[in-house]
Amino acid sequence: MSDSPKNPGLDGRARDKDGQTDHKHPTTKIKHLREHYGKHFAPDWDGERTLGELLKESKFESLSQYVKHHGHHPVS
């Protein structure tokens, strides 16, 4: 039996029962997002700061908006 989700969402994220994709929590540290999006993600930010702080200070409502605006893509 596979551990892979039956209905993977965008970027391979799992979907919950109602079909919504799993979102990063506001307490996710920038250093962990760099593991997914590369070392150039939020380059002027300390890796110990959080996604919530980044979104609030940069005036974006979601990680997907921030990523799209800045042209980041998941690293392989």
Side-chain angles (χ1 to χ4, degrees):
M1 185 164 174
S2 173
D3 289 327
S4 299
K6 285 184 181 178
N7 299 313
L10 303 173
D11 301 329
R13 294 175 289 177
R15 291 183 180 271
D16 62 17
K17 291 179 184 177
D18 67 358
Q20 295 295 311
T21 55
D22 180 31
H23 295 283
K24 296 289 185 189
H25 197 273
T27 59
T28 301
K29 296 197 183 235
I30 299 297
K31 67 182 179 182
H32 297 296
L33 292 168
R34 287 185 182 135
E35 292 172 5
H36 185 73
Y37 290 103
K39 65 182 180 178
H40 299 293
F41 180 85
D44 297 330
W45 282 70
D46 179 350
E48 291 298 317
R49 298 206 51 203
T50 66
L51 172 60
E53 293 171 322
L54 174 67
L55 296 177
K56 183 176 180 179
E57 291 184 29
S58 62
K59 309 282 193 244
F60 288 98
E61 293 183 21
S62 67
L63 174 59
S64 59
Q65 283 182 349
Y66 181 88
V67 165
K68 185 176 180 179
H69 178 80
H70 291 284
H72 296 296
H73 301 283
V75 293
S76 299

